Amino acid sequence: MSSTNKKSNFSFAAINPYAETNIITPKETKHTGKEYVEWGDGNLYPEFLQNLYDNVPTLASVIDGCVDYVAGDDVTILPLADLPMGVMNAKGDTIVEQVRDVAGDAFQTGGFALQVIRNGYGDPAETYFIDMRFLRANKDCTVFYYSENWGKGYKKDVIVYPAFMADLDWNALSDEERNRHASSILYVKRSHKKTYPVPCYAAAVKACEIERCVDDFHLNAINNGFTGSYIINFNNGIPDDKQKEEIEEDFNEKFSGHENAGRIGFSWNPNKDSATTIEKVDVEDFGDKYKSLESNSRQKIFTAFRANPNLFGIPTESLGFSQEEYESAFRLFNRTMIRPVQKMIADAYDKIYGQKDVMTIKPFSLEETTTEEEVN
């Protein structure tokens, strides 16, 4: 008996297996010839975190909720130079808007940055929020590099800034030094162990990826449900590769997806022997398993933030969550997560202004008025 190797005429749609290597780590790398330290694999760690925020509902909900709590019911600050009260720059950004922006970065990346513009006398005249995705630094964080295209490598349009110096003797500087320090970066991070910060949920990144992948699974199950559950056998000859692709595309377009439930398929054949046959593939129902997996992942995200889901409007399996329980949970969360970030932000503006208690944050409350002690 002779045997020949035959090319299979049945092919599955290509499904790229998810690999953990798709998770970008926050490692720091200094390359020869580059002044800045790369932030993560491919210098794209903050972009990876932004992608998680954009695609993981639980993470986005917690970060947004934390921003609301940090900004509280109101934020006031002493005026800068000739700007109106509460306005931080010539663009008209208010202190409330700026605090919300820096708080968002503080929770998303573990740090934040502000650009400080000085006037001709060397006094801080404007502050601008700087997105951490676009900022890189040298090892000692004394020089900063701004670009919106880090994924494409070092660009000629990168803007270089010195670190903000609160005790700068403006009168002792040369004209060249004054020009260099006229615009500087105040860089704040939770940890000083490395050049770049790490978010509080760094240990739960895999949980965030699981939630995103579960959502992708359900979306793909809806849009590709028919092809994932059946094998269609065409028994009247083997077409060439181009014809195979055309038949597959036409069939998927007509019968697959969430808009095609219950549609009838027709097959015309010269006789019974060449009839099209459809075989159902028994695929395990992953719905319940993925539901449990998603619930476990969400809990890990909340654990990373040391938070109760009810604080962010996300109900738990318990039958209720009273006002007393909310206030008790919020007091602990406020003490361990919110107030430290509020203090970090307030200290940053104190450093810019060169004096203490320039900012006041009215604490968040469920009521329109509150008697709680204000945060300085």
Side-chain angles (χ1 to χ4, degrees):
M1 178 183 292
S2 63
S3 63
T4 58
N5 292 327
K6 294 184 178 179
K7 182 180 178 181
S8 174
N9 293 311
F10 181 80
S11 61
F12 290 94
I15 300 177
N16 294 325
Y18 185 85
E20 189 176 324
T21 53
N22 288 345
I23 297 178
I24 296 178
T25 62
K27 70 177 183 180
E28 299 178 359
T29 308
K30 177 68 172 70
H31 293 290
T32 303
K34 292 182 178 180
E35 297 88 345
Y36 61 87
V37 177
E38 287 193 353
W39 192 1
D41 302 311
N43 203 21
L44 295 174
Y45 186 65
E47 283 78 5
F48 169 70
L49 297 180
Q50 179 65 43
N51 190 265
L52 288 181
Y53 172 82
D54 291 338
N55 292 280
V56 181
T58 301
L59 180 65
S61 177
V62 173
I63 290 178
D64 290 346
C66 288
V67 170
D68 290 337
Y69 287 140
V70 166
D73 288 348
D74 192 22
V75 183
T76 57
I77 194 168
L78 297 179
L80 267 173
D82 298 326
L83 294 172
M85 180 71 72
V87 177
M88 305 309 296
N89 51 53
K91 287 176 59 179
D93 297 332
T94 67
I95 185 57
V96 174
E97 293 168 336
Q98 209 163 86
V99 165
R100 293 185 66 86
D101 285 338
V102 298
D105 259 8
F107 284 104
Q108 186 169 314
T109 69
F112 63 87
L114 288 165
Q115 180 188 17
V116 182
I117 307 294
R118 296 178 184 270
N119 60 22
Y121 301 101
D123 300 321
E126 298 179 73
T127 63
Y128 290 87
F129 163 73
I130 297 292
D131 194 322
M132 289 285 282
R133 289 179 299 162
F134 307 141
L135 201 66
R136 299 296 184 270
N138 65 349
K139 185 176 181 180
D140 300 326
C141 298
T142 56
V143 182
F144 297 93
Y145 306 85
Y146 180 92
S147 173
E148 297 182 9
N149 299 292
W150 288 115
K152 299 178 182 178
Y154 192 87
K155 298 292 183 180
K156 292 181 179 179
D157 61 352
V158 169
I159 304 173
V160 182
Y161 297 98
F164 174 78
M165 298 174 63
D167 56 352
L168 195 64
D169 187 351
W170 191 256
N171 294 324
L173 299 181
S174 66
D175 290 342
E176 182 180 348
E177 290 174 323
R178 288 180 181 180
N179 287 334
R180 187 161 62 90
H181 287 278
S183 179
S184 57
I185 299 295
L186 176 63
Y187 182 63
V188 181
K189 52 193 173 82
R190 290 171 181 260
S191 173
H192 297 280
K193 293 181 179 180
K194 295 184 177 182
T195 301
Y196 299 112
V198 176
C200 62
Y201 61 93
V205 162
K206 290 181 183 178
C208 295
E209 279 292 306
I210 289 172
E211 181 173 327
R212 176 166 65 175
C213 289
V214 169
D215 284 346
D216 288 343
F217 168 80
H218 288 307
L219 179 62
N220 288 323
I222 291 173
N223 287 320
N224 301 297
F226 190 91
T227 55
S229 305
Y230 295 89
I231 295 176
I232 294 85
N233 296 300
F234 295 96
N235 304 309
N236 54 346
I238 301 174
D240 58 36
D241 290 343
K242 184 177 181 181
Q243 289 176 315
K244 288 180 183 178
E245 291 179 5
E246 291 176 353
I247 293 171
E248 184 177 350
E249 288 176 3
D250 290 344
F251 195 90
N252 284 331
E253 182 179 354
K254 189 170 185 179
F255 297 109
S256 297
H258 64 284
E259 296 178 349
N260 293 297
R263 293 187 65 172
I264 300 173
F266 296 92
S267 175
W268 292 269
N269 309 285
N271 51 61
K272 273 188 176 183
D273 294 333
S274 59
T276 300
T277 61
I278 299 178
E279 297 178 24
K280 185 152 186 353
V281 179
D282 292 327
V283 180
E284 185 177 358
D285 184 6
F286 290 102
D288 290 339
K289 289 185 177 180
Y290 278 11
K291 183 178 180 181
S292 175
L293 185 62
E294 188 174 31
S295 176
N296 181 264
S297 298
R298 286 177 175 171
Q299 185 55 51
K300 287 182 178 179
I301 296 172
F302 287 119
T303 299
F305 281 90
R306 292 185 280 181
N308 186 309
N310 289 280
L311 293 174
F312 305 95
I314 301 175
T316 57
E317 295 179 359
S318 61
L319 297 178
F321 194 65
S322 68
Q323 176 87 10
E324 254 181 54
E325 290 174 313
Y326 171 85
E327 290 178 353
S328 177
F330 177 71
R331 277 197 297 270
L332 178 60
F333 183 68
N334 185 57
R335 177 67 183 84
T336 58
M337 293 297 290
I338 301 304
R339 287 184 66 88
V341 174
Q342 287 177 325
K343 186 178 187 310
M344 189 165 66
I345 294 173
D347 287 347
Y349 284 96
D350 284 352
K351 186 175 182 179
I352 293 172
Y353 281 74
Q355 55 181 298
K356 295 290 292 181
D357 302 334
V358 300
M359 172 185 290
T360 300
I361 300 176
K362 187 176 182 180
F364 175 88
S365 69
L366 292 177
E367 308 297 332
E368 290 297 326
T369 58
T370 179
T371 58
E372 294 182 52
E373 181 183 356
E374 293 184 336
V375 179
N376 289 318

